[in-house]
Amino acid sequence: MKPNLIAKDMADTYDRYFQNDGYRARYPRPNPATLEYLLRNGAADAERILDFGCGNGRYALALLARSNAEITAYDISAASLAQFENALSHTPFGERVRLIHGNWSRLGRSPRYDMILMLFGVLSHLGDRATRVAALKRMRGLLGAHGRLVVSVPSALRRRPRELLKWSLARRMHVALPPLSESGNIYFTRHIDGQPLTFFYHLYSPRQLRGELSEAGYAVQACEAESLLPEWWIAQSRALSGLDRLAARILPPAFGYGIRALAVPA
Ligand SMILES: C[S@@+](CC[C@H](N)C(=O)[O-])C[C@H]1O[C@@H](n2cnc3c(N)ncnc32)[C@H](O)[C@@H]1O
């Protein structure tokens, strides 16, 4: 399957995920540790932030409340942006937000952002390695000279072992077609309200994430475990997110549920 078909499928999957409100129910707020991380690493003083793959804006809305930044929020899912726009209409922040749907070309080409976010698996959804590195390069072109990229991706050691095994066996038997012919790439299906939703993912090791970032022209300043517990536990329970923050500090990056990296133009 070609990358552009992956994007089409992912738009359809996420449209249905946001439309039935499954996403908001599962992830009602951002991971507080990652939100603080963003604020500590530039978001608090940023003038312009791009949230690439913003979803329903759970991070962007929290950042708007804690900074004076203007936020460009981009997603391929129209339903995610509709949910974001609706939430925004109940806040005073509307004038600081630009919502962009569809083709990346609408993001322009000039380096204008102090910070770019690709949070909670967005990079993993984009397609094969060449597509992901091309996207990272494109983001690099949009970052100002002192800009920062924060990306978080699912860890191959923690996520979807059955699917990893299934596609690894398919590769050995030479029956896995691109992009599944590439190690770490999987499809998996989750049932939300009885509805099957199929996702394409690349599951990462810290080494692979660093490799893609450096090939795209970044210097990696930090690479760490984003959390020990699954994201939905943290997004739903303040008590668990507090405990998790302590645990994640001593967890090697590969053992994180997600791997979070901070990168700057090299
Ligand atoms: C797991 S959600 C994360 C959303 C948000 N960053 C968050 O932390 O809640 C992944 C998001 O990536 C978006 N996405 C998937 N493929 C994309 C692509 N090719 N371009 C832009 N966004 C994409 C989806 O529509 C979805 O909103």
Side-chain angles (χ1 to χ4, degrees):
M1 186 179 278
K2 288 190 178 140
N4 60 353
L5 295 183
I6 292 175
K8 194 172 165 299
D9 282 353
M10 294 304 289
D12 178 60
T13 289
Y14 273 102
D15 275 349
R16 289 188 292 133
Y17 203 175
F18 284 105
Q19 266 155 10
N20 76 8
D21 220 21
Y23 194 91
R24 184 164 52 189
R26 196 170 167 88
Y27 309 109
R29 62 186 185 124
N31 174 343
T34 294
L35 178 60
E36 264 181 36
Y37 185 84
L38 300 178
L39 291 166
R40 248 193 349 264
N41 284 288
D45 303 315
E47 287 180 17
R48 282 187 288 270
I49 297 174
L50 168 62
D51 189 354
F52 184 98
C54 59
N56 60 6
R58 66 182 176 135
Y59 279 99
L61 286 161
L63 290 175
L64 286 162
R66 291 164 179 78
S67 74
N68 293 317
E70 289 177 4
I71 298 190
T72 300
Y74 169 77
D75 207 286
I76 42 154
S77 157
S80 76
L81 293 174
Q83 200 172 94
F84 188 176
E85 195 168 21
N86 180 46
L88 205 53
S89 69
H90 303 289
T91 74
F93 308 131
E95 287 191 351
R96 285 199 275 136
V97 180
R98 192 166 62 118
L99 299 176
I100 300 188
H101 174 238
N103 198 300
W104 299 3
S105 61
R106 299 192 56 211
L107 292 173
R109 291 208 169 264
S110 56
R112 56 192 315 267
Y113 295 104
D114 307 309
M115 182 168 246
I116 297 183
L117 315 176
M118 297 177 96
L119 295 176
F120 196 41
V122 178
L123 181 64
S124 299
H125 286 326
L126 299 186
D128 63 6
R129 189 176 191 281
T131 305
R132 299 192 303 270
V133 171
L136 289 170
K137 281 187 182 160
R138 183 69 201 281
M139 295 304 111
R140 190 186 175 289
L142 296 175
L143 269 182
H146 303 291
R148 288 162 173 198
L149 172 76
V150 180
V151 52
S152 67
V153 293
S155 165
L157 268 188
R158 291 286 308 277
R159 307 284 288 278
R160 303 282 148 195
R162 258 186 309 167
E163 285 82 0
L164 277 173
L165 180 63
K166 173 177 149 187
W167 294 109
S168 155
L169 290 175
R171 275 190 291 278
R172 278 183 194 198
M173 294 161 68
H174 303 286
V175 292
L177 298 175
L180 295 163
S181 49
E182 211 176 78
S183 172
N185 291 356
I186 61 161
Y187 275 105
F188 80 91
T189 300
R190 163 175 295 150
H191 287 81
I192 307 278
D193 277 351
Q195 224 193 121
L197 298 179
T198 298
F199 299 82
F200 171 81
Y201 260 109
H202 177 74
L203 303 177
Y204 279 88
S205 68
R207 193 156 160 241
Q208 281 171 346
L209 180 59
R210 283 177 175 277
E212 290 183 16
L213 285 165
S214 102
E215 191 173 329
Y218 295 87
V220 178
Q221 292 197 325
C223 182
E224 54 213 318
E226 184 174 31
S227 68
L228 168 66
L229 299 173
E231 177 85 0
W232 64 277
W233 291 20
I234 292 168
Q236 293 183 24
S237 160
R238 283 179 203 280
L240 287 180
S241 70
L243 291 174
D244 188 86
R245 181 185 307 221
L246 300 175
R249 276 188 202 150
I250 53 169
L251 200 63
F255 291 95
Y257 187 78
I259 303 167
R260 186 177 59 207
L262 173 68
V264 296

Coordinates of all heavy atoms in Angstrom, one line a residue, residues 7 10 14 18 23 51-56 58-59 74-77 80 104 119-120 122 125-126 201, ligand 1:
A7 N -2.4 7.5 4.3 CA -3.0 8.7 4.8 C -4.5 8.7 4.7 O -5.2 9.2 5.6 CB -2.3 9.9 4.1
M10 N -5.9 6.4 7.2 CA -5.8 7.0 8.6 C -6.8 8.1 8.8 O -7.4 8.3 9.9 CB -4.4 7.4 8.8 CG -3.4 6.3 8.9 SD -3.8 5.0 10.1 CE -3.5 5.9 11.5
Y14 N -9.5 7.8 11.8 CA -9.6 8.9 12.8 C -10.9 9.7 12.7 O -11.4 10.1 13.8 CB -8.3 9.8 12.8 CG -7.2 9.2 13.7 CD1 -6.2 8.5 13.1 CD2 -7.3 9.2 15.1 CE1 -5.2 7.9 13.9 CE2 -6.3 8.6 15.8 CZ -5.3 8.0 15.3 OH -4.3 7.4 16.1
F18 N -13.0 10.0 16.1 CA -13.4 11.2 16.7 C -14.9 11.4 16.7 O -15.5 11.9 17.6 CB -12.7 12.4 16.0 CG -11.3 12.5 16.5 CD1 -10.2 12.2 15.6 CD2 -11.0 13.0 17.7 CE1 -8.9 12.3 16.1 CE2 -9.6 13.1 18.2 CZ -8.6 12.7 17.3
Y23 N -12.2 8.8 21.0 CA -10.9 9.3 21.3 C -11.0 10.2 22.5 O -10.2 10.0 23.5 CB -10.4 10.1 20.1 CG -8.9 10.4 20.3 CD1 -7.9 9.5 19.7 CD2 -8.4 11.5 20.9 CE1 -6.6 9.8 19.9 CE2 -7.1 11.8 21.1 CZ -6.1 10.9 20.6 OH -4.8 11.2 20.7
D51 N 1.2 22.4 15.8 CA 0.8 21.1 16.3 C 0.4 20.2 15.1 O -0.7 20.3 14.7 CB -0.3 21.2 17.3 CG -0.6 19.9 18.1 OD1 0.0 18.9 17.8 OD2 -1.5 20.0 19.0
F52 N 1.4 19.4 14.7 CA 1.2 18.6 13.5 C 0.5 17.3 13.9 O 1.1 16.5 14.7 CB 2.5 18.3 12.8 CG 2.4 17.5 11.5 CD1 2.5 18.2 10.3 CD2 2.3 16.1 11.5 CE1 2.4 17.5 9.1 CE2 2.2 15.4 10.4 CZ 2.2 16.1 9.2
G53 N -0.7 17.0 13.4 CA -1.5 15.8 13.9 C -2.1 16.1 15.2 O -1.9 15.4 16.2
C54 N -2.7 17.3 15.3 CA -3.2 17.9 16.6 C -4.4 17.1 17.2 O -4.7 17.2 18.3 CB -3.6 19.3 16.4 SG -4.9 19.5 15.1
G55 N -5.1 16.3 16.3 CA -6.3 15.6 16.8 C -7.3 16.6 17.3 O -7.5 17.6 16.6
N56 N -7.9 16.4 18.4 CA -9.0 17.3 18.9 C -8.4 18.4 19.7 O -9.1 19.2 20.4 CB -10.1 16.5 19.7 CG -9.5 15.8 20.9 OD1 -8.3 16.0 21.2 ND2 -10.3 15.0 21.6
R58 N -6.1 18.3 22.3 CA -6.0 18.2 23.8 C -4.7 18.9 24.3 O -4.7 19.5 25.3 CB -6.1 16.7 24.3 CG -5.0 15.8 23.8 CD -5.2 14.4 24.3 NE -4.1 13.6 23.8 CZ -3.4 12.7 24.4 NH1 -3.7 12.4 25.7 NH2 -2.4 12.0 23.8
Y59 N -3.6 18.8 23.5 CA -2.4 19.6 23.9 C -2.5 21.0 23.5 O -2.2 21.9 24.3 CB -1.2 19.0 23.2 CG -0.7 17.7 24.0 CD1 -0.9 16.5 23.5 CD2 0.1 17.9 25.1 CE1 -0.5 15.3 24.2 CE2 0.5 16.8 25.8 CZ 0.2 15.5 25.4 OH 0.6 14.4 26.1
Y74 N -2.7 21.3 12.7 CA -2.9 20.6 11.4 C -3.3 19.1 11.6 O -2.7 18.5 12.5 CB -1.6 20.7 10.6 CG -1.6 19.7 9.4 CD1 -2.3 20.1 8.2 CD2 -1.0 18.5 9.4 CE1 -2.4 19.2 7.1 CE2 -1.0 17.7 8.3 CZ -1.7 18.0 7.2 OH -1.7 17.2 6.1
D75 N -4.2 18.6 10.8 CA -4.6 17.2 10.9 C -5.2 16.7 9.6 O -5.8 17.6 8.9 CB -5.5 16.9 12.1 CG -5.4 15.5 12.6 OD1 -5.8 14.6 11.9 OD2 -4.8 15.3 13.7
I76 N -5.1 15.4 9.3 CA -5.7 14.9 8.1 C -7.2 14.5 8.4 O -7.9 14.3 7.5 CB -5.1 13.7 7.5 CG1 -4.7 12.7 8.6 CG2 -3.9 14.0 6.6 CD1 -4.6 11.3 8.1
S77 N -7.6 14.5 9.7 CA -8.9 14.1 10.0 C -9.8 15.4 10.2 O -9.6 16.1 11.1 CB -8.9 13.3 11.3 OG -10.2 13.3 11.9
S80 N -11.5 15.4 13.6 CA -10.8 15.8 14.8 C -10.7 17.3 14.9 O -10.9 17.9 15.9 CB -9.3 15.3 14.7 OG -8.5 16.0 13.7
W104 N -0.4 18.9 3.2 CA 0.7 19.6 3.9 C 1.1 20.9 3.2 O 1.7 21.7 3.8 CB 2.0 18.7 3.9 CG 1.9 17.4 4.6 CD1 0.8 16.9 5.1 CD2 3.0 16.6 4.7 NE1 1.2 15.6 5.6 CE2 2.5 15.4 5.4 CE3 4.4 16.6 4.4 CZ2 3.3 14.4 5.7 CZ3 5.2 15.5 4.8 CH2 4.6 14.4 5.4
L119 N 2.9 14.7 18.4 CA 2.7 14.0 19.7 C 1.8 12.8 19.6 O 0.8 12.8 18.9 CB 2.2 15.0 20.8 CG 3.1 16.1 21.1 CD1 2.4 17.1 22.1 CD2 4.4 15.7 21.7
F120 N 2.2 11.8 20.4 CA 1.4 10.6 20.6 C 1.2 9.8 19.3 O 0.1 9.6 18.9 CB 0.1 10.9 21.3 CG -0.6 9.7 21.9 CD1 0.2 8.7 22.5 CD2 -1.9 9.5 21.8 CE1 -0.4 7.6 23.1 CE2 -2.6 8.4 22.3 CZ -1.8 7.4 22.9
V122 N 1.9 10.4 16.1 CA 1.6 11.0 14.7 C 2.6 10.5 13.7 O 2.3 10.0 12.6 CB 1.5 12.5 14.8 CG1 1.3 13.1 13.4 CG2 0.5 13.0 15.8
H125 N 2.3 7.1 12.2 CA 1.2 6.8 11.3 C 1.5 7.2 9.8 O 0.7 6.9 9.0 CB -0.1 7.7 11.7 CG -0.8 7.2 12.9 ND1 -0.9 5.9 13.3 CD2 -1.4 8.0 13.9 CE1 -1.6 5.9 14.4 NE2 -1.9 7.1 14.8
L126 N 2.6 7.9 9.6 CA 2.7 8.5 8.3 C 3.0 7.6 7.1 O 2.7 7.9 6.0 CB 3.8 9.6 8.3 CG 3.5 10.8 9.3 CD1 4.6 11.8 9.2 CD2 2.1 11.3 9.2
Y201 N 0.9 1.6 12.0 CA 1.9 2.2 12.9 C 3.3 1.7 12.6 O 3.4 0.6 12.1 CB 1.6 1.6 14.3 CG 0.8 2.5 15.2 CD1 -0.5 2.3 15.6 CD2 1.4 3.6 15.8 CE1 -1.2 3.1 16.5 CE2 0.7 4.5 16.6 CZ -0.6 4.2 17.0 OH -1.2 5.0 17.8
Ligands
LIG1 C1 -3.0 9.2 18.3 S1 -3.6 10.7 17.5 C2 -2.7 11.9 18.4 C3 -3.4 13.3 18.4 C4 -2.8 14.3 19.2 N1 -1.4 14.6 18.8 C5 -2.9 13.9 20.7 O1 -1.8 13.8 21.3 O2 -4.0 13.7 21.2 C6 -2.8 10.7 15.9 C7 -3.3 11.9 15.1 O3 -2.5 11.9 13.9 C8 -3.3 12.2 12.8 N2 -2.7 11.8 11.6 C9 -2.6 10.5 11.1 N3 -2.0 10.5 9.9 C10 -1.7 11.8 9.6 C11 -1.1 12.4 8.5 N4 -0.6 11.8 7.5 N5 -1.0 13.8 8.6 C12 -1.4 14.5 9.6 N6 -2.0 13.9 10.7 C13 -2.1 12.6 10.7 C14 -4.6 11.6 13.1 O4 -5.7 12.1 12.4 C15 -4.7 11.8 14.6 O5 -5.4 13.0 15.0

